[in-house]
């Protein structure tokens, strides 16, 4: 229903704009479209959170997954005027997992970071490190955004918890991240970034290539 409503609203809005429609009608259609979009995003997030994946675990290159996620988020990064600074380990960062779900993890983290960034000079840092001693692969995603208040740090992965304004977040993005990583035997933590912003660190069990 949300998809159909959103599509109908887009068509009507385009007709109004091309035909020099009443400004009040145009504004009403914009608001209807925004509401339909919010419902659609919430429905998709809820399904992602609740529905088990049918993917199977395979050997996955985290570098390829991160690159794919950044490509998916290109429009979000452009809207935030954000620059991406990536630094990948020279060794193959191979883990065992479900590629589509892992891409969703980084799409959510990147999107979340973009929403918190300053309007003109946002920076996203993505780093990988292979730890031979404990057989892990570490991925960090950092931003120079507003950061997370200390009293909210322990709640960021709680379903439906959000500090965004009404209609700007479902409160499921980071819960989905945590749920997927739990199913991959990976750990995630969040911490303030030195200089301002937020840092997410993920530790995956490493597999041999």
């Amino acid at each position: 229903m949300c998809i159909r409503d959103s599509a109908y609203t887009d068509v009507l809005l385009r007709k109004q704009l091309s035909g020099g429609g009443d400004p009040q009608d145009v504004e009403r259609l914009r608001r209807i479209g925004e509401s339909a979009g919010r419902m659609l995003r919430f429905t998709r997030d809820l399904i992602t959170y609740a529905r088990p994946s049918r993917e199977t675990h395979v050997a996955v290159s985290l570098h390829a997954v991160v690159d794919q996620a950044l490509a998916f988020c290109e429009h979000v990064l452009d809207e935030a005027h954000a620059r991406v600074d990536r630094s990948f380990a020279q060794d193959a960062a191979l883990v065992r997992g479900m590629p589509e779900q892992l891409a969703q993890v980084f799409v959510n983290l990147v999107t979340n970071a973009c929403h918190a960034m300053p309007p003109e000079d946002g920076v996203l840092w993505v780093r990988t490190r292979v730890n031979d001693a404990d057989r892990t692969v570490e991925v960090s995603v950092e931003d120079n955004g507003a950061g997370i208040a200390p009293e909210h740090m322990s709640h960021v992965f709680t379903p439906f918890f959000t500090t965004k304004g009404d209609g700007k977040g479902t409160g499921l993005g980071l819960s989905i991240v945590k749920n997927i990583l739990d199913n991959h035997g990976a750990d995630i933590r969040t911490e303030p970034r030195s200089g301002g912003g937020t840092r997410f660190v993920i530790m995956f069990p490493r597999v041999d290539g």
Side-chain angles (χ1 to χ4, degrees), residues 56-132:
T56 57
H57 286 254
V58 296
V60 181
S61 165
L62 280 179
H63 295 163
V65 166
V66 171
D67 282 338
Q68 183 184 45
L70 290 171
F72 287 158
C73 292
E74 189 172 318
H75 66 291
V76 180
L77 290 160
D78 287 343
E79 288 174 1
H81 304 286
R83 173 173 61 86
V84 178
D85 184 332
R86 72 188 88 186
S87 178
F88 290 165
Q90 291 186 347
D91 294 341
L94 293 180
V95 302
R96 191 161 187 81
M98 295 175 276
E100 288 184 13
Q101 285 210 343
L102 291 176
Q104 184 69 55
V105 164
F106 294 104
V107 165
N108 287 14
L109 290 177
V110 171
T111 301
N112 204 63
C114 287
H115 290 168
M117 287 179 185
E120 295 299 332
D121 57 350
V123 185
L124 180 79
W125 292 270
V126 184
R127 304 279 186 267
T128 67
R129 185 160 61 96
V130 176
N131 303 310
D132 291 322

Side-chain angles (χ1 to χ4, degrees), residues 106-203:
F106 294 104
V107 165
N108 287 14
L109 290 177
V110 171
T111 301
N112 204 63
C114 287
H115 290 168
M117 287 179 185
E120 295 299 332
D121 57 350
V123 185
L124 180 79
W125 292 270
V126 184
R127 304 279 186 267
T128 67
R129 185 160 61 96
V130 176
N131 303 310
D132 291 322
D134 58 4
R135 306 294 299 163
T136 61
V137 179
E138 176 185 305
V139 186
S140 64
V141 179
E142 306 178 39
D143 65 73
N144 64 337
I148 300 172
E151 63 269 23
H152 295 153
M153 278 289 187
S154 61
H155 302 292
V156 294
F157 299 114
T158 302
F160 304 110
F161 176 81
T162 180
T163 58
K164 298 177 183 177
D166 291 342
K168 294 185 178 179
T170 65
L172 283 173
L174 292 179
S175 300
I176 291 169
V177 166
K178 183 69 164 62
N179 199 29
I180 291 173
L181 293 176
D182 284 346
N183 292 334
H184 283 75
D187 296 322
I188 183 170
R189 72 177 188 271
T190 181
E191 57 197 29
R193 175 184 167 271
S194 177
T198 305
R199 183 173 188 252
F200 288 90
V201 182
I202 308 172
M203 299 294 289

